[in-house]
Amino acid sequence: NDGKIFKQVIEHVHNDKAAGVIQILPHATNLIKFEHFLDEILSFYSENVLSDFLLRTDDYGQTILHYFASYCKITKIFEYFWDKIKVFIDDEKLRQFILTRGDLERNALLQSIENDNLTSLSFLLEQVYCKLLTIDEFVYETDVEGENLLHRPAKFGSLPVLKIILEKLKNELS
């Protein structure tokens, strides 16, 4: 499965189709293959081009971070991806990147909640949003319906998601 994913991504990279890479790459499941593969992709571009490539959105206004938030189920893969890309993007652009909203007007954190992806939610809270934003900035960040990271899980009964968020907020506010 990963071989097929990586083959499609290579075709998209060589054809400079960022949307294809953005949508496919987060589905990888083998960490060692993913590390090697991501390193290959990163070596294909210069730093300036790579920064622009990583910040691109697809036809739905979503970044690669939205897709990782939705589909990546392996923390180590998400960690490796994040550690690699943050080297190529300065802090201000990184802050804008994590707050980018797709067509559904959700940033990646809200996307992970929407998709009930506990792995991505935990990682994004711990390693991304709490490190780059103040609590007010990410708690008051809302989607098009005015819902923040607490509304959706409270409204639709996702107790594990709500528990992760409340524990993190409790720790940050203590």
Side-chain angles (χ1 to χ4, degrees):
N1 190 21
D2 278 353
K4 192 176 193 179
I5 289 170
F6 296 149
K7 184 178 178 191
Q8 288 176 319
V9 172
I10 290 285
E11 289 170 14
H12 291 303
V13 168
H14 287 291
N15 295 323
D16 196 33
K17 294 183 179 176
V21 175
I22 288 170
Q23 293 170 353
I24 297 168
L25 196 56
H27 292 279
T29 57
N30 182 302
L31 177 62
I32 293 169
K33 287 180 182 176
F34 178 80
E35 289 173 351
H36 174 73
F37 187 71
L38 186 60
D39 290 343
E40 287 291 315
I41 290 173
L42 297 178
S43 70
F44 186 77
Y45 294 101
S46 68
E47 277 192 40
N48 294 346
V49 172
L50 187 59
S51 175
D52 291 340
F53 184 81
L54 291 169
L55 296 172
R56 287 185 194 172
T57 57
D58 66 6
D59 294 340
Y60 305 103
Q62 297 200 41
T63 67
I64 194 166
L65 192 60
H66 284 93
Y67 284 95
F68 266 88
S70 296
Y71 303 111
C72 187
K73 304 288 186 191
I74 301 170
T75 303
K76 291 287 185 193
I77 286 178
F78 208 147
E79 259 175 32
Y80 193 79
F81 164 75
W82 184 250
D83 287 345
K84 286 291 187 175
I85 70 158
K86 69 183 182 184
V87 169
F88 297 100
I89 304 171
D90 66 60
D91 284 348
E92 188 50 42
K93 281 186 181 175
L94 216 47
R95 287 172 52 84
Q96 292 170 5
F97 179 60
I98 67 172
L99 291 173
T100 299
R101 298 166 175 236
D103 286 355
L104 297 175
E105 289 296 315
R106 291 187 188 98
N107 63 38
L109 184 63
L110 295 175
Q111 193 75 24
S112 69
I113 293 167
E114 177 72 19
N115 287 294
D116 214 22
N117 189 336
L118 302 180
T119 301
S120 291
L121 173 63
S122 296
F123 180 79
L124 286 167
L125 278 173
E126 290 291 327
Q127 301 301 320
V128 180
Y129 285 81
C130 285
K131 289 190 176 184
L132 291 168
L133 303 173
T134 67
I135 290 178
D136 284 348
E137 285 175 311
F138 75 82
V139 168
Y140 292 111
E141 180 71 17
T142 60
D143 64 14
V144 72
E145 296 161 0
E147 294 182 347
N148 69 15
L149 75 156
L150 291 169
H151 289 121
R152 195 157 291 279
K155 192 176 187 179
F156 297 106
S158 182
L159 293 177
V161 168
L162 196 54
K163 182 180 177 193
I164 289 170
I165 294 167
L166 291 174
E167 295 252 337
K168 184 59 183 168
L169 291 175
K170 180 181 136 193
N171 292 341
E172 289 294 316
L173 294 171
S174 300

